[in-house]
């Protein structure tokens, strides 16, 4: 095994190389990397022959000094490995990509509108966004609080009115905090 093949195997193991080159690509890469007077890297030779074999992020790092590029690549791979919702790279038609971007922008706009209306983001995952509405008081709660406060006001006439007001206010608050569930909605990603 020569140094070119060893470097290609290291690139494949390190995922800088997306897949192993075909036989004609391998021959062209080897000839380019071992040409007399060639001072570039094996990555540059691969990029000149078959740029689709290289990871797009690695292509962006190729202009940096070799040691620094490898350090940045290891950090990038670490970030990729710990990102729980990372979507896999896939080849997408340009029109489909634009449609996906429009759908993502529309989703973000809709989420921003709901958050402005005091909705709370419960989870933001790869399949979509789940939101929870602010809790709203029902008519029963308003009625119980209103009558309860009225009875408190009449409490100076009789203790029974004060006790009845306390019960009504307690029922209204109990219904609001315990039995009233906040509305939730799920917005799927395209």
């Amino acid at each position: 095994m020569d140094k070119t093949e060893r470097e290609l195997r290291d690139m494949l193991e390190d995922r800088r190389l997306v897949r192993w080159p075909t036989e004609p690509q391998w021959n062209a890469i080897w000839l380019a990397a071992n040409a007399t007077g060639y001072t570039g890297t094996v990555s540059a030779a691969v990029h000149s022959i078959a740029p689709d074999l290289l990871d797009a992020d690695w292509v962006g790092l190729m202009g940096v000094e070799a040691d620094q590029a490898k350090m940045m690549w290891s950090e990038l791979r670490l970030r990729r490995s710990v990102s729980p919702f990372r979507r896999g790279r896939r080849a997408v038609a340009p029109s489909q990509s634009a449609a996906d971007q429009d759908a993502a922008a529309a989703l973000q706009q809709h989420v921003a509108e709901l958050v402005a209306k005091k909705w709370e983001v419960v989870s933001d995952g790869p399949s979509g966004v789940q939101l929870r509405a602010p809790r709203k008081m029902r008519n029963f709660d308003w009625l119980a609080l209103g009558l309860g406060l009225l009875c408190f006001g009449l409490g100076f006439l009789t203790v029974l009115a004060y006790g009845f007001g306390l019960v009504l206010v307690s029922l209204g608050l109990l219904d609001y905090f315990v039995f009233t569930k906040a509305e939730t909605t799920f917005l799927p990603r395209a």
Side-chain angles (χ1 to χ4, degrees), residues 7 14 20-21 23 31 33 47 55 59 63 65 75 86 93 115 118 120 130 133 139-140 155 161 170-171 179 184 187:
E7 179 66 23
D14 203 17
W20 190 255
E23 190 67 30
L31 289 173
H47 190 264
D55 187 280
V59 172
E65 185 179 314
E75 185 174 321
R86 182 178 177 273
V115 168
K118 306 289 189 217
E120 179 183 352
Q130 185 173 10
N139 289 338
F140 171 76
S170 298
L171 281 175
F179 298 113
T184 61
L187 304 173

Side-chain angles (χ1 to χ4, degrees), residues 42-179:
V42 175
S43 293
V46 171
H47 190 264
S48 66
I49 303 300
D52 60 315
L53 291 177
L54 293 175
D55 187 280
D57 293 329
W58 176 248
V59 172
L61 294 175
M62 282 176 39
V64 182
E65 185 179 314
D67 293 334
Q68 189 176 7
K70 285 188 179 182
M71 180 188 68
M72 291 167 67
W73 178 252
S74 64
E75 185 174 321
L76 184 78
R77 280 197 57 214
L78 177 67
R79 284 187 189 152
R80 283 182 181 176
S81 68
V82 297
S83 177
F85 301 120
R86 182 178 177 273
R87 288 185 164 184
R89 295 183 187 272
R90 61 177 198 237
V92 178
S95 62
Q96 186 181 6
S97 176
D100 286 346
Q101 290 174 353
D102 290 343
L107 176 70
Q108 290 301 329
Q109 177 68 25
H110 191 75
V111 168
E113 289 170 1
L114 290 176
V115 168
K117 294 177 183 175
K118 306 289 189 217
W119 284 63
E120 179 183 352
V121 176
V122 176
S123 76
D124 187 1
S127 60
V129 180
Q130 185 173 10
L131 296 126
R132 180 177 31 226
R135 196 179 295 172
K136 293 182 182 176
M137 291 187 80
R138 297 187 288 188
N139 289 338
F140 171 76
D141 300 333
W142 286 111
L143 183 65
L145 285 175
L147 288 175
L149 291 176
L150 181 66
C151 288
F152 275 145
L154 296 175
F156 69 89
L157 296 175
T158 177
V159 177
L160 184 63
Y162 183 77
F164 189 63
L166 184 63
V167 168
L168 284 174
V169 169
S170 298
L171 281 175
L173 292 176
L174 180 72
D175 182 61
Y176 176 72
F177 284 109
V178 176
F179 298 113

